[in-house]
Amino acid sequence: MNRRLLVDLEALAANYRVFQAACSSPGQTLGGVVKANAYGTGADLVLARLQDLGCSSFFVATLDEALALRHLLVPGDRLYVFEGVDE
C-alpha cells in the first residue's frame, strides 16, 4: 500500500508568521525544528521555506542530521543540535 503525505508549505509559512508575531519583542528569537527530516516532511524543503520567511535558527536532534543540513545554511544561520557531545 502506497501512502503519501502532502506538505503545505504555505500553511507552514502561515503558522510561522503567527509565532513570529508573538515573538516580536526585543531579545526573542524564533527557530524552526527540522529534526527527523522535519518529522518526515523533508527538512530541505522546510528549512528553505523558513529561511524565505527570515528564520535563521534551526534545531536538529543529532550531529548526523546537522551535518546533512549544514550545506543549506546561509551566512548568519545557526544550527543547534539537541544530542550531547561524546568524548
Side-chain angles (χ1 to χ4, degrees):
M1 176 186 314
N2 288 334
R3 295 179 188 215
R4 292 183 182 204
L5 174 67
L6 178 62
V7 178
D8 186 339
L9 293 175
E10 291 315 306
L12 173 80
N15 290 340
Y16 183 80
R17 288 184 189 107
V18 169
F19 285 106
Q20 203 172 30
C23 295
S24 60
S25 299
Q28 291 184 333
T29 302
L30 179 61
V33 179
V34 293
K35 71 182 204 75
N37 194 26
Y39 298 97
T41 62
D44 53 343
L45 297 173
V46 170
L47 189 142
R49 186 64 184 111
L50 292 173
Q51 284 171 320
D52 290 345
L53 297 165
C55 185
S56 61
S57 295
F58 303 95
F59 297 86
V60 295
T62 66
L63 179 59
D64 287 340
E65 290 176 342
L67 293 174
L69 292 176
R70 71 179 176 175
H71 73 280
L72 300 173
L73 302 179
V74 298
D77 281 357
R78 294 181 183 208
L79 188 58
Y80 297 93
V81 181
F82 294 136
E83 181 178 64
V85 178
D86 292 336
E87 294 178 31

